[in-house]
Every structure is written in structure tokens, then in C-alpha cells.
Amino acid sequence: MEMSTWRKLGLTGLLVYTAALEGSFTGVLGPTLPALECLFSSNLKSISIIFFVFGMMNALGSVLGCFLLSRLELHLVMSAATTIALVSQCVFPFLYDVYSAIVMSAITALCIGVLFNSRIFRADDLWPQQPFAVHLVIAGFALGPIVASLVASPFLSDQELQPNMTSLNTENASLCPKNTFRVQYVYIILACSGIPLSVTMMVLFAYFRERAPCYSYIFESSATGDRSTNRRGYTLFLVFFYLLCMPAGEYS
């Protein structure tokens, strides 16, 4: 039985929510970077590595998503990726070591890449031959950095240099406020905002278990039926797309 329009709209809204969550996890790094530099007793050169690693793991995660979705149910993949991203996002600001934090951030980025691939495919499956849905889901990503900035702002308002700041032994000898730990709340809040998504995706997995869309259809060519060519082309597109977005989105 064909899915009703209202149900399709509800699932599309869920995909936009997924995109916004991905955007918030990506966009929060920018405004919180000075606080993270103090939190990890690091310097700007070391902490900035996180952007390069984040971008590369995003691209790798998108390719990994192709592999996972060809073998596992879509909603199961999205639920697992979301859950792992939430956990890594919570743990990230509590590590107190910049290189451990970079590794944890890489795990988050890997999951975001998997989710990107999953939501684009699901949007195309819900609204075949209607590109507006895919563009809408992609545009939802832009909401994330806005939300992340609004959430982070109250916790970063006291991060300006003040006479009563405690000096940390960083290479640049920067002065850091005593309440730098407040940045941890930002990551906890953003991670908790994704819990409903993880639970909902697990429920959808149980509901669509026997009726899930076949991911292999995305590689079918209506003209030639050449699946291998489309698979390689789609994978290369995702890789170069993320490499393009990395300098544009991460360093802006």
C-alpha cells in the first residue's frame, strides 16, 4: 500500500531534523573553539587539526554509508549512527586531552557522513523524481549551525578576557576564564537533542523491517542499467562533495 502524503511529510520532517542535528554537531566547533583551546590546555595550531580530521572523516563516513546501506536496513543504520554520534559528542569535551578529543570528534564526523548518505537516499525514495525534497533535506543542515550558535552563546558569554582569569600553561600563554568547563554543557545539550531521533529511527526500523526500500536501486541506470558505473560515480561525487564543503564550511 502506498504511503500517504502526510506520512511522507512527517518522515521528511524527520530527515530535516536529522540534517539539522548534523549541522549543529559540525557548526558548534567554530564558536566553542577558544573555550576548547583552554579546556584542553592546548594551542590554536594543535586544536585546529580537528577541522581537517572532521572533514576527512565526513567524506569517509559517506563512503562507509554506501557499504552499510547496501547490507543493512536504512533506519537501523541511521539509529546506530545517531546513537554513536550522540555518545561521542557527550564524551568529547570531558577528555581533557586534545588528541583524544580529535579522535572522538572523528568518530562523530564518521557518523555524520553515514547519516548524510542515509537521509539523502531516504528523501529520494520518499519523493521519487521530485528534487525539492532532497534540496529541502540538504538545506536543513544549515539550520544546525544557527541552533548551535544560539545554544552556545549563553555558555560562552563569560569567555572574554577578564583580570580574574586563570592562566593555563599553553604554548601561546593565553589567559583562560575559570569557568571554561561550561562549554561542556553545550555539547551535552546538543547531544541530548538527538535522543528523540535515535529512538524514533529504532521504532521506524521495527515498523519498516520487512518493507524497507532497497538501497541498491539508487545505483540503477534507467538508460543503461549499468550499476557499477553509477556506484563508482556516486561514491566519487560524495567524496569530492565533502572535500569541497570542508574548507567552505569548517573554516568559515
Side-chain angles (χ1 to χ4, degrees):
M1 184 175 62
E2 188 177 352
M3 190 181 299
S4 66
T5 301
W6 286 109
R7 186 170 294 180
K8 286 184 179 181
L9 290 174
L11 290 174
T12 303
L14 191 65
L15 297 177
V16 174
Y17 173 24
T18 305
L21 185 69
E22 297 172 36
S24 67
F25 284 5
T26 304
V28 72
L29 291 173
T32 60
L33 188 66
L36 293 176
E37 182 181 351
C38 291
L39 187 66
F40 299 136
S41 301
S42 181
N43 56 73
L44 185 61
K45 182 178 181 180
S46 297
I47 195 69
S48 294
I49 298 174
I50 198 171
F51 293 112
F52 174 77
V53 174
F54 201 95
M56 293 301 296
M57 293 304 289
N58 254 312
L60 180 60
S62 189
V63 176
L64 177 62
C66 297
F67 174 81
L68 293 176
L69 291 173
S70 64
R71 288 162 175 78
L72 300 173
E73 202 276 334
L74 179 140
H75 300 99
L76 176 63
V77 172
M78 293 189 71
S79 178
T82 303
T83 302
I84 295 173
L86 299 184
V87 173
S88 60
Q89 190 78 347
C90 272
V91 174
F92 169 75
F94 292 93
L95 293 174
Y96 293 102
D97 176 73
V98 64
Y99 296 108
S100 299
I102 289 174
V103 172
M104 192 59 60
S105 180
I107 296 174
T108 303
L110 188 71
C111 294
I112 289 176
V114 172
L115 287 172
F116 169 83
N117 205 353
S118 304
R119 63 182 165 86
I120 295 301
F121 165 62
R122 189 57 169 135
D124 183 65
D125 175 72
L126 288 172
W127 306 95
Q129 299 180 346
Q130 298 187 45
F132 83 93
V134 175
H135 293 305
L136 177 64
V137 171
I138 292 176
F141 187 91
L143 297 175
I146 299 174
V147 173
S149 298
L150 293 175
V151 172
S153 180
F155 299 97
L156 302 178
S157 57
D158 295 328
Q159 300 295 326
E160 301 175 359
L161 293 177
Q162 298 291 340
N164 61 347
M165 288 182 177
T166 302
S167 178
L168 296 179
N169 292 323
T170 58
E171 289 185 10
N172 61 0
S174 62
L175 294 175
C176 297
K178 296 178 180 179
N179 58 354
T180 300
F181 68 91
R182 294 180 61 192
V183 73
Q184 296 170 335
Y185 300 149
V186 179
Y187 287 83
I188 293 175
I189 292 172
L190 292 178
C192 289
S193 70
I195 293 177
L197 175 63
S198 180
V199 174
T200 303
M201 285 301 173
M202 186 56 67
V203 173
L204 290 176
F205 164 63
Y207 181 78
F208 286 106
R209 198 166 192 172
E210 303 298 331
R211 294 166 287 178
C214 181
Y215 183 73
S216 60
Y217 291 162
I218 201 171
F219 301 117
E220 295 286 356
S221 170
S222 58
T224 64
D226 187 356
R227 292 173 53 182
S228 60
T229 300
N230 285 315
R231 185 185 297 271
R232 288 193 297 270
Y234 181 67
T235 302
L236 286 173
F237 163 75
L238 292 175
V239 171
F240 285 113
F241 176 79
Y242 264 117
L243 291 178
L244 175 66
C245 289
M246 183 172 63
E250 303 289 350
Y251 293 98
S252 60

